[in-house]
Amino acid sequence: SQVVEPTFDSNRMQLARDFPKIPKPRPRKVTVDDFIQLKELGNGKYGRVYLVKEKYTNFVCALKVIEKKLLHEEEITDQFIREVKIQQFLNHPNIIKMYGCFDDSTNIYIILEVGTGGQLYHQLKKSQPLSEARIAFIMRQVCEAVNEIHSLRIIHRDIKPENIVLHDVNVCLCRISSSFVTSGGQYTKI
């Protein structure tokens, strides 16, 4: 095929179809080595969550790490799959976003939006009592998140201060792993 040199004639704009096809780079698998661990945000029975920065873009996010061995030993593989399936299509300002997931030989990693203000639980433990206005603000945003997931026939089942994350501007519901999707009045695991 013949290579077409772009011309910048003011009377004629060269269309993209006139340029030679440039092969797209092959997608590279994301690995844990693509992230710089900044600090641990929390841990639970099934995994740890770290504040990380992606090396190439400096994008700051949360990285949830779950041992594959633990998934099998605790027989929570279905719960994990449910969390990923539900989380991947949720898009609401009051629900923590999932950016992606990947694995290696020992762990599964979920890349999540990070709450800059931490968990509501820690805020309640360390600070003065929250004002009525602040509590109303938090509850309204939690209710908006719950309304959104209920409109999608998802029931969270574990709303508590540990699963509410604070941002500078808003409040987000997280840990969707305990959720179920309802179907025709029945509770259905997905």
Side-chain angles (χ1 to χ4, degrees), residues 92-119:
H92 188 273
N94 300 116
I95 299 172
I96 288 288
K97 291 171 184 45
M98 183 181 106
Y99 298 119
C101 62
F102 61 96
D103 70 330
D104 59 24
S105 60
T106 56
N107 296 313
I108 297 173
Y109 305 89
I110 304 176
I111 307 165
L112 299 163
E113 176 183 18
V114 65
T116 55
Q119 295 175 345

Side-chain angles (χ1 to χ4, degrees), residues 120-134:
L120 176 60
Y121 175 78
H122 294 302
Q123 179 87 18
L124 293 171
K125 277 183 71 172
K126 70 177 182 181
S127 71
Q128 298 290 329
L130 298 176
S131 70
E132 190 175 316
R134 180 72 174 148

Side-chain angles (χ1 to χ4, degrees), residues 82-98:
R82 182 173 56 248
E83 176 179 1
V84 171
K85 281 182 176 181
I86 291 172
Q87 190 81 42
Q88 72 185 357
F89 75 90
L90 293 176
N91 185 18
H92 188 273
N94 300 116
I95 299 172
I96 288 288
K97 291 171 184 45
M98 183 181 106

Side-chain angles (χ1 to χ4, degrees), residues 92 94 137-149:
H92 188 273
N94 300 116
F137 174 79
I138 291 169
M139 291 309 300
R140 178 186 172 121
Q141 293 200 353
V142 168
C143 288
E144 287 176 10
V146 169
N147 187 51
E148 173 68 13
I149 64 174

